[in-house]
Amino acid sequence: MAGAAAEQRRLATVVESWLERPVLIVGDAMLDEWRFADSDRLCREAPAPVLTLRRRISAAGGAANTAVNVAALGGRAVLVAPVGADVAGDELHDCLDRAGVWDRTVNQPGRPTPVKRRMLAGNQILLREDSGDADDALDPEGVNRLLTALSCATEELRAAAGGEAPTLVVCDYGLGALSAPVRAWLVEQRERYATVALDAHDLADWRGLAPTVVTPSFAEATRLLARAGGPTRPTAGTELHLEHPHGDPADGPSELTVGAAPGGVRADDVTVDHPGPVGEPTPGEDRVALTGDGLSVTGTGVTVNTRAGEGVDRAVLAESRLAELRAHTGADVVAVTLDTEGAVVGGADGEPRRSHSTPVPASHAVGAGDAYLAAMTLALAADAPLPTAAQLAQLAATITVSDTGTCVCRREDLLTALGQPTETMSHPALVGSDELDAIVSEYREAGRSVVFTNGCFDVLHRGHVRYLEQARALGDLLIVAVNSDGSVRRLKGPDRPVNPVEDRGALLAALACVDHVVVFEEDSPAALIEAVRPDIYVKGGDYPPELVPEAPLVRRLGGQVHTLGYVPDRSTSAIIERIRSHSQDPSPPVDEREPDPSLSSRTQAS
């Protein structure tokens, strides 16, 4: 037990050591859009569900999500990427601002921001619509602007870090941001960066970069081996080998078959009822997909079968090829990610490291690879040993997959998973509006999301408490704006509030689910919303978020709007009405009742 605690403290020390480490992220940035809907019937025109949109979430995706994860984990993240001059681009800028990423993206008029739109019902993804592909490559002017931004951001990070060489993360997802001139520039400027991490769908495009670490998926690693060809080299301790047909097809990689060594039972000699390919094709890989049984990867010009004898799986296959992958990429470290099966990591010592993950629904794992890449990069940049970096990377990816949405791992979450106490902000619960800017900025720099709500909260009751607890569960920090007495009178009438704002604010601040309380004089919280720029704005009621008056403002600022239902028969007005009705019950007037002797004696004594 003591040994496990010591190990956790050692890992936590590495997390602390990478705080404010400068990291430049370059590549394909995109916007992830999640649309949550309800469905209770089929439409008349076709056997398709009728969807009623309930809420919409926008998040940074691709290289932008890697930058968000670096910032959330405590690094100093700067993103250089082309972003379109469109609504999706505006939303992406807001996502970066809220996450504390230094936004050095390059505006590209006429080139749309890549978007992945997912429609869900009951947390099940029903469809996904993608926009943005390799045909949207940068024009020469766009390339020059991107290279200028890269050079300036590199020097900006170096200056902010006191002359320390920054870390570089390259995210190439085949969407046109990293054209040949950009790749050539990065290879030529390699010496300007201390640590270089590469996540690319086509690793063959990056020969000469000499990265510190590459993080290919199993399919991406397979594609590289297929293209590399060459003689088969036996690997000690296994009987796996690769066979390549003579010559590569003109439009793709060579055909690759993996099976048992000569003399053994080959996978293709065994009759197996394989289902058809399922899963998500990857841009730039020509419809590569993993079969449902997890035994094969198929695609244009590529067939990989991992049924190479009993008990052989993707992890064993990846372990057997780590040395070749390092040789083909020129990387010090290769981490082959295996989706929900974890990862296999190998370094110069030739010793493979296996990490495991917990299987989750696919909608929970979107962006988990970005969290893995961010933590692996920060750990290696902080000179952590490879086994430690691999542990932290897998842990960061694993703890982000608890819910539907784009995965982000925060430094506090990682330290909590390691059993270490996290720092708490030393701000009072009751704050003035002039203090909010500094407080919110501090929380944002720590990677925390802000939830905001407002109301009169005149007579605090059970419905309020449940509502505020639900609101707090939506993020990391809950700010409650409470109407001043004058504001309540204008909204509710001359006989309200029952309790003055000093009492109302004190009761709200005493709730464990409330982080900060601020009083506002206006009838609308619009000015406070502008100042706070909440990630999530919450309003009580059973109506859709579209009917919330503040919704357009919140969404313009990049936030989301949630409505939470009230507890039935629990409202301030109902409580006040009951009190008034009880006061009308027949009872002796106060001055006609027998006086309290103790009160009389106290009165006389005073």
Side-chain angles (χ1 to χ4, degrees):
M1 195 71 175
E7 174 67 8
Q8 288 186 324
R9 284 195 297 272
R10 185 182 66 80
L11 293 172
T13 300
V14 175
V15 177
E16 297 290 355
S17 71
W18 71 45
L19 194 63
E20 295 299 319
R21 189 161 294 273
V23 182
L24 172 61
I25 300 95
V26 59
D28 293 302
M30 63 190 75
L31 184 73
D32 277 351
E33 183 180 292
W34 300 80
R35 293 172 175 256
F36 297 86
D38 293 337
S39 177
D40 56 9
R41 69 186 191 280
L42 297 178
C43 70
R44 298 176 181 177
E45 297 85 2
V50 176
L51 303 177
T52 302
L53 184 65
R54 293 304 182 192
R55 62 189 176 104
R56 172 183 173 274
I57 297 175
S58 293
N65 189 46
T66 299
V68 168
N69 273 276
V70 169
L73 287 167
R76 181 176 292 165
V78 176
L79 176 65
V80 174
V83 174
D86 49 20
V87 173
D90 292 341
E91 291 192 46
L92 184 54
H93 291 307
D94 288 335
C95 291
L96 297 173
D97 289 342
R98 292 198 304 270
V101 175
W102 293 10
D103 185 353
R104 302 298 182 263
T105 55
V106 177
N107 199 25
Q108 297 289 337
R111 182 181 187 272
T113 303
V115 180
K116 290 185 178 181
R117 297 181 178 90
R118 298 170 178 87
M119 178 67 80
L120 301 90
N123 279 343
Q124 173 65 49
I125 296 178
L126 300 182
L127 60 89
R128 197 182 90 188
E129 175 195 4
D130 287 6
S131 63
D133 54 41
D135 293 335
D136 294 328
L138 303 181
D139 58 26
E141 176 60 26
V143 169
N144 289 334
R145 294 173 63 200
L146 189 70
L147 293 179
T148 300
L150 270 172
S151 186
C152 292
T154 300
E155 292 309 310
E156 181 183 19
L157 270 180
R158 182 187 290 273
E164 178 184 355
T167 293
L168 175 68
V169 180
V170 178
C171 302
D172 182 8
Y173 306 130
L175 297 179
L178 298 172
S179 58
V182 178
R183 296 196 299 269
W185 187 93
L186 290 168
V187 170
E188 181 182 345
Q189 302 294 321
R190 170 65 176 85
E191 296 305 317
R192 297 174 70 176
Y193 308 100
T195 302
V196 174
L198 172 63
D199 184 23
H201 285 335
D202 195 342
L203 292 165
D205 285 341
W206 290 94
R207 291 187 180 95
L209 182 63
T212 309
V213 57
V214 294
T215 59
S217 67
F218 180 75
E220 291 161 356
T222 296
R223 180 183 179 91
L224 179 66
L225 290 173
R227 280 190 166 186
T232 301
R233 296 193 296 276
T235 304
T238 74
E239 294 186 342
L240 296 176
H241 80 293
L242 302 177
E243 287 186 352
H244 300 270
H246 298 293
D248 285 350
D251 60 349
S254 64
E255 183 76 15
L256 169 65
T257 303
V258 182
V265 179
R266 295 181 53 81
D268 46 14
D269 291 333
V270 181
T271 302
V272 182
D273 183 19
H274 297 302
V278 297
E280 178 183 326
T282 311
E285 290 189 310
D286 288 330
R287 317 300 294 177
V288 172
L290 176 69
T291 57
D293 57 6
L295 297 176
S296 302
V297 173
T298 63
T300 304
V302 180
T303 301
V304 181
N305 191 316
T306 64
R307 192 182 178 98
E310 187 176 355
V312 174
D313 59 14
R314 292 193 303 167
V316 173
L317 176 59
E319 287 181 5
S320 73
R321 315 311 285 177
L322 285 174
E324 289 179 67
L325 288 169
R326 288 185 63 245
H328 292 316
T329 60
D332 298 328
V333 175
V334 172
V336 181
T337 56
L338 305 171
D339 308 309
T340 56
E341 297 175 39
V344 173
V345 182
D349 60 5
E351 183 69 28
R353 281 98 180 167
R354 177 78 166 93
S355 61
H356 298 271
S357 184
T358 303
V360 295
S363 61
H364 289 196
V366 174
D370 302 328
Y372 184 98
L373 174 63
M376 172 69 80
T377 302
L378 286 167
L380 292 176
D383 297 322
L386 180 55
T388 299
Q391 279 181 275
L392 288 171
Q394 188 63 67
L395 181 60
T398 301
I399 64 178
T400 63
V401 296
S402 60
D403 201 359
T404 298
T406 304
C407 295
V408 175
C409 182
R410 296 175 175 83
R411 176 173 170 270
E412 291 79 8
D413 298 334
L414 194 54
L415 289 173
T416 299
L418 293 170
Q420 305 302 307
T422 56
E423 300 173 2
T424 57
M425 305 296 183
S426 58
H427 298 295
L430 285 165
V431 298
S433 57
D434 55 340
E435 301 174 75
L436 271 183
D437 283 348
I439 292 174
V440 171
S441 295
E442 187 175 343
Y443 281 112
R444 288 245 161 78
E445 288 178 4
R448 299 186 181 183
S449 58
V450 177
V451 182
F452 182 95
T453 190
N454 63 278
C456 300
F457 299 100
D458 192 1
V459 178
L460 198 63
H461 53 74
R462 176 189 167 196
H464 287 141
V465 173
R466 194 185 80 163
Y467 164 78
L468 293 170
E469 287 175 340
Q470 290 176 332
R472 178 61 173 79
L474 295 174
D476 302 318
L477 171 77
L478 176 60
I479 296 175
V480 178
V482 60
N483 295 74
S484 69
D485 292 347
S487 176
V488 174
R489 279 192 290 272
R490 290 191 297 271
L491 293 172
K492 301 289 186 180
D495 58 342
R496 300 280 297 274
V498 173
N499 293 304
V501 72
E502 293 81 7
D503 293 351
R504 291 183 282 128
L507 287 173
L508 288 168
L511 296 176
C513 57
V514 175
D515 294 284
H516 297 294
V517 177
V518 61
V519 177
F520 66 101
E521 298 289 340
E522 301 82 7
D523 295 345
S524 165
L528 280 175
I529 292 173
E530 288 269 12
V532 173
R533 298 172 65 90
D535 299 284
I536 298 173
Y537 176 73
V538 180
K539 197 71 175 173
D542 297 321
Y543 43 80
E546 288 72 20
L547 296 182
V548 175
E550 297 81 4
L553 171 61
V554 173
R555 293 195 174 109
R556 179 172 64 80
L557 296 172
Q560 306 156 29
V561 179
H562 288 234
T563 55
L564 301 175
Y566 293 119
V567 175
D569 300 324
R570 295 290 189 278
S571 73
T572 298
S573 299
I575 292 173
I576 292 175
E577 185 60 34
R578 285 201 300 272
I579 293 173
R580 286 172 174 166
S581 65
H582 288 317
S583 68
Q584 297 171 0
D585 291 345
S587 57
V590 173
D591 57 349
E592 293 181 9
R593 296 176 184 172
E594 289 294 327
D596 183 347
S598 62
L599 179 60
S600 299
S601 61
R602 287 197 298 272
T603 304
Q604 292 171 1
S606 62

